[in-house]
Amino acid sequence: FLSPVAAEICPNILTGKMCQKLSAGRFKVKWHKHSSFRPLWSDGLLTLWAASELIPRGNFIGLKRGSNAVKERIAWAHYVSTAKPSTHLVEVTDEQHSGFFAKHPRDEL
C-alpha cells in the first residue's frame, strides 16, 4: 500500500515482469558493495553520511588506468549512523557506450 504522498512521487508500481533478467539490452543493472561516504553533519553521536565516488574506477595502473565501461552508482538517500556506513548501491552500466574503443559519453546515463 502506498501513501498518497508516495503515490504522487512514484505513480507506477514495479511489477514482477519489470524485474525479469534479460539476456540482452543496453543497460546492465547490478548491486555493488559501496563503502565510500563523506560526512555531511554530526552532533557528536550520530553522523549524516552522503555516498561519494559514485563513478567506479578500474583497477589498472598506467595506460589502462580507469574503467572502459560507462557506469555509475545510484545513491537513493543519505545515511544516519554512529559509524561510517558500508552498504550496497545499484550500479547502472551503459553497454552501448562501454568498451575499449568506445567514446564513453556519460550524458545518456
Side-chain angles (χ1 to χ4, degrees):
F1 175 76
L2 291 175
S3 70
V5 174
E8 187 177 319
I9 295 170
C10 235
N12 297 324
I13 296 175
L14 193 61
T15 64
K17 187 176 181 181
M18 294 176 185
C19 298
Q20 290 178 349
K21 185 175 181 178
L22 303 176
S23 60
R26 178 172 175 187
F27 296 101
K28 179 171 60 175
V29 180
K30 286 185 175 180
W31 286 102
H32 279 277
K33 187 172 182 176
H34 191 80
S35 57
S36 180
F37 292 87
R38 61 184 173 86
L40 294 177
W41 172 86
S42 180
D43 70 353
L45 178 62
L46 294 175
T47 304
L48 179 66
W49 300 90
S52 58
E53 299 180 24
L54 296 174
I55 300 172
R57 304 279 182 230
N59 296 326
F60 299 114
I61 299 173
L63 294 174
K64 293 186 176 183
R65 198 169 126 212
S67 176
N68 289 319
V70 177
K71 57 177 75 174
E72 189 161 348
R73 294 184 181 159
I74 300 171
W76 302 105
H78 296 307
Y79 299 88
V80 176
S81 66
T82 57
K84 190 174 182 179
S86 180
T87 187
H88 285 80
L89 297 179
V90 172
E91 182 177 277
V92 179
T93 304
D94 186 345
E95 295 288 314
Q96 181 177 341
H97 294 297
S98 294
F100 190 73
F101 295 105
K103 292 184 178 181
H104 305 111
R106 304 192 59 76
D107 55 334
E108 294 181 20
L109 191 61

